[in-house]
Amino acid sequence: MKIFKFGGTSLGSAERIRQVAEIVSNIEGDRLVVLSAMSGTTNTLVKIGNELRGNRANSAETLIGELEGTYRAVIEDLYANSEIKVTVNEIISEIFGYIRGFLINSFHIFAERNLLAQGELISSAIFYYYLLEKGVEADLISALEFMRIDKNGEPDEFYIKEKLEMLLKTPNKKCLTVTQGFICKNAYGEIDNLKRGGSDYTATLIGAALKAEEVQIWTDIDGFHNNDPRVVENTKPISTMSFDVAAELSYFGAKILHPSSVLPAKKNNIPVRLKNTMEPTAKGTLIILEDRIFGIQAVAAKSNITAIKIKSDRMLMAYGFLRHVFEIFERFKTSIDMITTSEVAVSVTIDDDTYLGDITDELRQYGNVEVEHEQTIICIAGNYTDDSSGIAAEVLHAMKEIPIRMISYGGSFHNISVLINTNHKTAALKALSTMLFVSGAQDAE
């Protein structure tokens, strides 16, 4: 069994849907295809939810009509068989009738989750019926029947495995199965989701449950690149990397793979291959448990970071100081990305400032607090060893013209993190590319 996940961009038009169908139809063996909502759909559903929450029914209805029109146009372009076209249009009418029901009913958090689930339900139905029109035998199963999170919001792995195996053992099962990413049910049986980017997570959770041969994540780029191709020219794809390096890059800004999706595959030693829907013959990136490439492999950047410094003359002799600091962040469910300490100060970074005011208020009982916004973490990821020499020096030399706010090195054999002001992000990425890759100091392969 192989798992194939296709993102919203890969399904963004009738032509893209045809390409995806061509890809999965020409592969032999058992396949399970996980689909995101078509590009732009989830963002529009979020906007509709915002309008409904603000009691702006007219503007919500306008957005609903525009989104429905987009799908009607795709259906008209995609299908040649009139009977199938009628069937799919009826499905669209039913789903949008359900969405319009929110215009007259109270809108709350549970309704919002139901609303956001509709994008994946639509894309999977459209894709499934296109396969049928092309004569490709396939099954369509609902992720709501097997994907569940527990009371802590974590995947219920036993339930997922049990239900998924049962659904795939039905009589007359086809070799190709289609389902949805992102959506799930929670411990209370309500429709919920795995958060933004959750379709990748769905794919690796399914791969882990089925002990899949491989999970393939198809997007609009040919794998991890050694730098951000949106900022730096002539970046190169990386052919192979370890789960540890992929996790660092995903968390620190490389948006090609959802960070949570790495763990299920790593735990079960299931290779993950990143492929480009627009260039299906491109090699992409294969992520495995261990690779044999040492040194720096890639650079990524994570912006919208807030830096917090707590300075206290009492810190040197204050037993339990750090514990008290961390307990404050824990209490407000705010994760720390980076941390550096000195005898009289500790600096940390966060990417969620929802509770920043409450956090800083409590931190002030331990010392002076300084806050800096508009920061960026530059992640220099690779495989480093105890005797790796000169790597940190290379990084610092490349960034010699960039004012550095914090450095974190040694907490992992796979990452050097540097905090800078976001104004210097582009210059830093280009400088690192020139020093580490263009000059030949490191080879992306």
Side-chain angles (χ1 to χ4, degrees):
M1 171 73 77
K2 287 186 177 182
I3 314 301
F4 297 81
K5 177 264 176 178
F6 292 90
T9 306
S10 299
L11 302 165
S13 66
E15 182 57 34
R16 294 281 174 85
I17 292 171
R18 293 187 186 100
Q19 290 176 338
V20 172
E22 185 75 14
I23 289 168
V24 300
S25 300
N26 291 330
I27 297 172
E28 297 182 355
D30 288 336
R31 293 144 286 160
L32 194 151
V33 178
V34 177
L35 301 179
S36 299
M38 288 177 59
S39 58
T41 297
T42 301
N43 287 339
T44 301
L45 292 173
V46 169
K47 291 178 183 177
I48 292 170
N50 291 337
E51 297 305 300
L52 291 170
R53 197 180 300 105
N55 295 315
R56 296 181 291 271
N58 289 338
S59 55
E61 188 167 15
T62 298
L63 289 170
I64 293 170
E66 291 173 353
L67 185 60
E68 181 179 7
T70 298
Y71 280 108
R72 298 290 187 191
V74 169
I75 291 167
E76 185 62 33
D77 185 8
L78 184 61
Y79 302 102
N81 185 298
S82 58
E83 291 184 6
I84 289 181
K85 187 180 294 187
V86 168
T87 298
V88 179
N89 271 311
E90 288 174 350
I91 293 172
I92 294 299
S93 295
E94 181 178 349
I95 290 176
F96 277 90
Y98 174 74
I99 292 174
R100 286 190 172 88
F102 294 123
L103 295 168
I104 56 177
N105 297 314
S106 60
F107 193 73
H108 44 72
I109 184 63
F110 305 115
E112 182 176 27
R113 292 169 183 168
N114 290 352
L115 174 64
L116 294 181
Q118 302 311 307
E120 280 71 20
L121 295 174
I122 294 171
S123 64
S124 57
I126 288 176
F127 184 73
Y128 169 70
Y129 278 98
Y130 179 69
L131 290 176
L132 295 188
E133 181 180 90
K134 302 304 292 182
V136 179
E137 292 189 341
D139 293 317
L140 176 63
I141 62 174
S142 173
L144 300 177
E145 294 187 55
F146 65 86
M147 190 60 62
R148 186 172 77 174
I149 54 177
D150 60 23
K151 293 180 180 179
N152 297 316
E154 296 297 326
D156 187 338
E157 295 180 5
F158 178 80
Y159 180 94
I160 295 168
K161 179 178 176 62
E162 182 180 56
K163 293 294 183 181
L164 194 52
E165 288 181 345
M166 182 180 69
L167 288 168
L168 295 177
K169 287 181 180 178
T170 56
N172 303 316
K173 176 192 170 298
K174 311 299 189 299
C175 291
L176 176 56
T177 303
V178 178
T179 194
Q180 306 85 25
F182 177 63
I183 64 176
C184 64
K185 284 192 175 180
N186 60 31
Y188 307 101
E190 302 154 342
I191 292 179
D192 213 316
N193 58 68
L194 299 174
K195 313 308 176 194
R196 283 294 184 129
S199 292
D200 291 353
Y201 202 11
T202 300
T204 56
L205 286 168
I206 290 173
L210 299 178
K211 303 298 180 187
E213 175 186 345
E214 183 175 277
V215 174
Q216 295 189 5
I217 308 292
W218 290 73
T219 65
D220 57 353
I221 187 171
D222 51 340
F224 275 113
H225 278 226
N226 58 6
N227 209 321
D228 189 339
R230 297 166 298 183
V231 177
V232 179
E233 296 181 354
N234 301 317
T235 62
K236 294 180 180 180
I238 302 170
S239 59
T240 307
M241 70 169 55
S242 68
F243 284 114
D244 291 321
V245 173
E248 298 282 4
L249 290 171
S250 299
Y251 184 77
F252 286 105
K255 297 184 182 301
I256 188 172
L257 185 67
H258 190 275
S260 298
S261 64
V262 175
L263 184 57
K266 180 182 177 181
K267 281 171 55 179
N268 293 273
N269 194 18
I270 297 170
V272 175
R273 193 181 299 273
L274 308 181
K275 296 279 286 180
N276 187 348
T277 310
M278 273 53 83
E279 295 184 37
T281 58
K283 190 174 181 180
T285 299
L286 178 65
I287 306 172
I288 54 178
L289 199 58
E290 294 183 10
D291 65 28
R292 298 178 180 274
I293 301 173
F294 293 94
I296 297 170
Q297 288 185 281
V299 176
K302 184 177 184 180
S303 297
N304 299 315
I305 299 296
T306 299
I308 306 169
K309 177 193 283 187
I310 310 99
K311 185 175 181 180
S312 172
D313 293 335
R314 299 167 294 159
M315 180 180 172
L316 179 61
M317 302 300 295
Y319 176 77
F321 178 88
L322 287 177
R323 175 173 60 83
H324 293 308
V325 169
F326 291 145
E327 283 176 346
I328 292 171
F329 288 93
E330 180 183 7
R331 191 155 54 249
F332 290 102
K333 294 181 169 56
T334 301
S335 299
I336 293 172
D337 292 317
M338 288 178 65
I339 177 170
T340 60
T341 63
S342 71
E343 290 185 350
V344 295
V346 55
S347 294
V348 301
T349 67
I350 60 174
D351 63 1
D352 179 1
D353 61 2
T354 303
Y355 300 106
L356 179 61
D358 296 312
I359 290 170
T360 53
D361 285 345
E362 293 205 18
L363 287 173
R364 286 192 178 96
Q365 64 184 300
Y366 299 108
N368 296 323
V369 177
E370 299 175 8
V371 176
E372 293 181 74
H373 299 283
E374 299 300 323
Q375 304 293 300
T376 292
I377 295 175
I378 305 292
C379 163
I380 302 94
N383 290 315
Y384 313 136
T385 61
D386 285 328
D387 59 354
S388 291
S389 60
I391 288 182
E394 285 184 55
V395 171
L396 294 177
H397 181 63
M399 299 183 68
K400 61 184 179 180
E401 303 296 331
I402 309 295
I404 295 176
R405 171 71 175 76
M406 290 171 59
I407 302 173
S408 178
Y409 180 39
S412 163
F413 283 133
H414 304 286
N415 181 20
I416 301 171
S417 295
V418 180
L419 183 72
I420 61 173
N421 189 283
T422 300
N423 290 333
H424 302 297
K425 171 184 170 180
T426 298
L429 291 177
K430 289 182 176 180
L432 286 165
S433 181
T434 299
M435 175 63 69
L436 303 179
F437 306 125
V438 175
S439 66
Q442 300 291 333
D443 186 349
E445 296 295 322

